[in-house]
Amino acid sequence: MPHRLPRTPALAFPQQLNPELASAGWRPRYIYCLCLGLTNATVFSPTDVMPLAPWAKIAMGLQSLVSLLVLGLVVARAINVLA
């Protein structure tokens, strides 16, 4: 049984917003979500994928906060070691 896309997606990918960018039958796959997670963790904001559902906004916000906290701890440890 094939998976179907939901009627109201939680995330809006550029290929969904502008069909000229997508090939026929394009669907978001794992690599697109992995890229979203990596960019959200390193830039602390969504880059090309917009969260539409409230749970997606909360999840992306928490991911950014955790990434910022970890970065702060690493920088603080580096400064402590160098001082």
Side-chain angles (χ1 to χ4, degrees):
M1 176 179 226
H3 295 286
R4 293 186 216 142
L5 292 174
R7 289 184 188 206
T8 56
L11 301 169
F13 292 88
Q15 291 87 344
Q16 293 169 320
L17 301 175
N18 187 356
E20 294 175 2
L21 298 175
S23 58
W26 183 90
R27 298 184 64 176
R29 297 206 167 106
Y30 178 76
I31 191 70
Y32 295 103
C33 297
L34 178 64
C35 182
L36 167 65
L38 289 173
T39 57
N40 190 41
T42 56
V43 182
F44 310 119
S45 66
T47 52
D48 62 345
V49 180
M50 294 305 299
L52 301 177
W55 69 265
K57 292 178 186 214
I58 291 170
M60 289 178 74
L62 285 174
Q63 182 182 11
S64 292
L65 287 175
V66 169
S67 296
L68 189 60
L69 177 67
V70 169
L71 178 65
L73 291 173
V74 169
V75 169
R77 177 69 176 149
I79 291 172
N80 189 27
V81 167
L82 294 175

